[in-house]
Amino acid sequence: METIDVQVAVIGAGFGGLTTATLLAKAGLQVAVVEQNNYPGGCASSYKRKGYWFETGATTLVGLDQDMPLRYLFEELDLQIPLLRLEIPMQVRLPNGTLLTRFQTLELWIQEAERVFGAPGQRAFWETCYQISQRVWRTSLRQKSFPFSSWSDVWQAAKALEMEQLSLPPLAFKSMKDLLSQHGLLQNKTFIAFLDQQLLITAQSKHTEVNVLFGATALCYTMYGNYYMPGGLRQLSNHLVRYLEQHQGQMLYRRQVRQIIPKAKREGYTIFTEKGTITAYYLVCNLPLNNLQQLFESAQLRKKLATYILPAHKVNGAFTWGVVFERSGTTPAVFHHQLHVPGGVPFIGSESIFVSLSHPLDEERAPKGICVAAVSTHVHHPEATWITQKKELERWLVQFLVEQQFFTQEQVRFVQAATPGAWIEWTGREWGQVGGYPQYLNVKPWQMKDARLDGDKAYLCGDTVYPGQGIPGVCLSGIIAADKLLRDHF
């Protein structure tokens, strides 16, 4: 059994953890990332099957525009990562068969929304949402001390305060339903159905449940730069891993953490894994709060975390499919699609599926002439919704995508489904929870768990702490964790 001693241990190689690890390594700290799997990336990674690379979870990459987290990270680390910018971020097919395009340009999108849903209220609604999203992103990196958990945080926030930031807190008390009502859109049932499925992608909740601050920002992610990562999103994490290893850091794979015990006299932490122990002076946990609570013996810390933990009926799991098929003249040119499912997905009841296609020139994921599709749908209350009908759902998906003209039955080479149970095996996340915590109206941003775990030398990042889910969100959480650790101790 091995014993490893490091200055900083980061538990979990999700994108939030890797963000924190690389920023701390840049600051000169000795960092080791402890990961239970064979690959980095967590819910934004890829796996190989039958010679093809499939995305595990996240498939869309945003956050590289001005004032956004990935741009900040890449500039801080001086990373040059090859990315392909998408001309059209997404297309959506409604239950009645209508196809609409989520253009990136605000004006083009408003024209499209007016064409499909009617003109009344659309322009004012989307202009308002876009303006809010811009203010949110501008504020997020200027207020890295938020949420506050020390007087130092308050002082840092006061120094960075700008007038436009004062307009944001009131939006946390207003629901998207209120905003829709303000623009006369609540009676537009077709639009509301579309909007709710869009919100599920990035906010994990619907218009009645999410506040305007998060909801407007979530709805506008297609209005910023959307990118395709050649080779799959695993490559994004691989770039951060290389940076870490070039700066005296190390990756410790296939080490599942069993227990974390603070050392005496506040001299760090002992981390127990099945391969031995790791001692670290500083600790960063890139784990869901539900999992994290189980690793500490301290009743006081468990009680503190319990305040922030959501139960199973408040979170989502995912049912996913991987499909390999031969390209043809009818293969969609747009890579990302949300398809509404009339009557719902069998056995699950979800109302839409999300389909992401590989780039035709991306021969790292599939040979020329072959397309790899990653398909997913939400599974509400994953603890209670245990799905066993994998073969039936594989047949259903192929037939559904044939009807949507993605391919013909004869073009399909391979299809494989995975239940939330696969997410438990892949990531270890309780109940197979994915996508982070949904954004609920009753949980204000300042009530979310901040980056400090125990008030000593342990910190948090990931999609269940502020600011929440999505690659930009977990990247921001990693930036904040690194910033607070460095400010507290160096």
Side-chain angles (χ1 to χ4, degrees):
M1 300 290 281
E2 63 185 6
T3 300
I4 299 173
D5 184 55
V6 296
Q7 191 175 13
V8 184
V10 177
I11 300 176
F15 197 73
L18 291 175
T19 295
T20 306
T22 50
L23 290 173
L24 294 178
K26 182 198 173 189
L29 278 66
Q30 179 202 15
V31 183
V33 178
V34 185
E35 169 57 42
Q36 70 156 6
N37 219 317
N38 298 320
Y39 307 110
C43 292
S45 187
S46 316
Y47 66 94
K48 196 172 188 179
R49 188 68 51 84
K50 302 287 186 180
Y52 307 102
W53 281 98
F54 296 90
E55 302 287 39
T56 56
T59 56
T60 58
L61 183 60
V62 296
L64 286 160
D65 295 75
Q66 188 67 39
D67 300 314
M68 296 185 80
L70 266 75
R71 181 165 179 165
Y72 171 92
L73 178 66
F74 289 3
E75 289 178 349
E76 285 289 308
L77 304 181
D78 194 25
L79 290 179
Q80 304 296 321
I81 297 180
L83 297 169
L84 301 175
R85 184 161 183 151
L86 303 183
E87 182 179 348
I88 296 176
M90 183 198 307
Q91 287 186 319
V92 181
R93 191 173 295 277
L94 302 178
N96 63 6
T98 300
L99 183 69
L100 69 150
T101 301
R102 291 273 346 226
F103 293 104
Q104 180 186 330
T105 306
L106 176 61
E107 182 59 32
L108 287 178
W109 166 239
I110 290 173
Q111 292 177 19
E112 180 76 341
E114 290 179 338
R115 176 186 72 84
V116 175
F117 303 113
Q122 292 292 332
R123 177 170 296 277
F125 175 79
W126 288 106
E127 287 178 345
T128 298
C129 287
Y130 187 59
Q131 289 166 6
I132 291 169
S133 74
Q134 289 182 307
R135 294 203 302 272
V136 166
W137 288 121
R138 281 196 296 266
T139 299
S140 64
L141 286 169
R142 289 171 173 80
Q143 293 289 356
K144 294 195 291 290
S145 65
F146 184 84
F148 311 141
S149 56
S150 73
W151 286 111
S152 172
D153 287 346
V154 177
W155 173 239
Q156 293 296 322
K159 291 193 296 183
L161 185 64
E162 298 176 354
M163 289 302 296
E164 76 166 1
Q165 297 170 10
L166 299 177
S167 67
L168 296 178
L171 299 177
F173 294 91
K174 187 176 182 179
S175 73
M176 286 302 296
K177 180 179 179 181
D178 297 329
L179 187 64
L180 288 161
S181 178
Q182 179 184 328
H183 292 89
L185 290 167
L186 273 183
Q187 304 309 312
N188 191 333
K189 300 303 182 185
T190 303
F191 178 64
I192 294 298
F194 157 78
L195 205 74
D196 277 343
Q197 295 307 304
Q198 289 279 284
L199 282 169
L200 277 173
I201 297 174
T202 48
Q204 299 280 320
S205 54
K206 297 185 177 182
H207 77 281
T208 55
E209 302 167 330
V210 64
N211 65 50
V212 172
L213 195 65
F214 283 125
T217 305
L219 286 174
C220 290
Y221 90 93
T222 53
M223 299 178 196
Y224 294 89
N226 281 241
Y227 295 85
Y228 180 89
M229 171 64 73
L233 279 179
R234 66 191 176 94
Q235 299 291 8
L236 185 63
S237 296
N238 287 342
H239 279 278
L240 297 188
V241 168
R242 282 193 287 272
Y243 181 94
L244 178 67
E245 293 177 338
Q246 290 166 3
H247 290 76
Q248 302 182 21
Q250 57 183 318
M251 298 294 299
L252 304 175
Y253 293 111
R254 298 189 64 80
R255 289 171 172 84
Q256 185 172 11
V257 175
R258 305 296 189 188
Q259 190 177 30
I260 301 169
I261 298 180
K263 298 173 71 175
K265 299 180 182 179
R266 297 193 171 191
E267 292 183 354
Y269 305 85
T270 302
I271 303 157
F272 295 90
T273 77
E274 71 274 22
K275 291 188 176 182
T277 60
I278 301 161
T279 60
Y281 198 67
Y282 301 101
L283 176 68
V284 180
C285 294
N286 179 209
L287 300 172
L289 291 176
N290 301 73
N291 291 74
L292 184 62
Q293 188 189 40
Q294 303 167 16
L295 298 179
F296 287 88
E297 287 186 339
S298 168
Q300 183 179 2
L301 181 57
R302 285 171 175 254
K303 183 178 179 180
K304 178 182 177 181
L305 290 177
T307 306
Y308 304 96
I309 291 175
L310 292 182
H313 70 273
K314 287 281 191 177
V315 303
N316 294 301
F319 192 95
T320 61
W321 298 262
V323 186
V324 179
F325 62 94
E326 300 168 10
R327 292 185 183 274
S328 69
T330 62
T331 303
V334 174
F335 297 142
H336 301 300
H337 304 260
Q338 187 178 48
L339 307 176
H340 289 235
V341 180
V345 177
F347 309 109
I348 299 173
S350 53
E351 299 173 68
S352 68
I353 60 173
F354 193 79
V355 182
S356 292
L357 307 179
S358 62
H359 195 289
L361 299 180
D362 187 358
E363 296 189 25
E364 290 185 71
R365 293 187 61 194
K368 186 177 181 180
I370 301 297
C371 184
V372 176
V375 187
S376 62
T377 193
H378 288 85
V379 177
H380 184 61
H381 197 341
E383 183 183 38
T385 314
W386 201 253
I387 302 158
T388 59
Q389 300 88 351
K390 289 173 60 174
K391 291 302 178 184
E392 293 93 329
L393 283 162
E394 287 173 1
R395 290 191 291 270
W396 171 83
L397 179 76
V398 169
Q399 182 57 41
F400 184 72
L401 292 182
V402 167
E403 293 168 0
Q404 301 293 317
Q405 299 183 335
F406 275 70
F407 45 70
T408 65
Q409 184 78 47
E410 293 71 30
Q411 290 172 328
V412 177
R413 288 194 174 188
F414 174 73
V415 58
Q416 176 181 277
T419 73
W423 285 100
I424 297 175
E425 183 178 348
W426 175 262
T427 66
R429 295 166 72 101
E430 191 172 24
W431 315 308
Q433 171 202 157
V434 296
Y437 279 176
Q439 306 287 7
Y440 287 117
L441 180 63
N442 67 311
V443 180
K444 311 307 178 193
W446 51 88
Q447 295 173 319
M448 297 176 72
K449 184 69 189 84
D450 89 304
R452 293 189 183 91
L453 174 58
D454 62 356
D456 188 18
K457 300 179 183 69
Y459 295 80
L460 289 170
C461 61
D463 59 12
T464 61
V465 301
Y466 176 84
Q469 65 270 37
I471 292 178
V474 297
C475 181
L476 179 57
S477 77
I479 292 168
I480 292 172
D483 183 79
K484 290 195 175 185
L485 189 156
L486 293 171
R487 184 157 46 83
D488 288 349
H489 302 285
F490 295 92

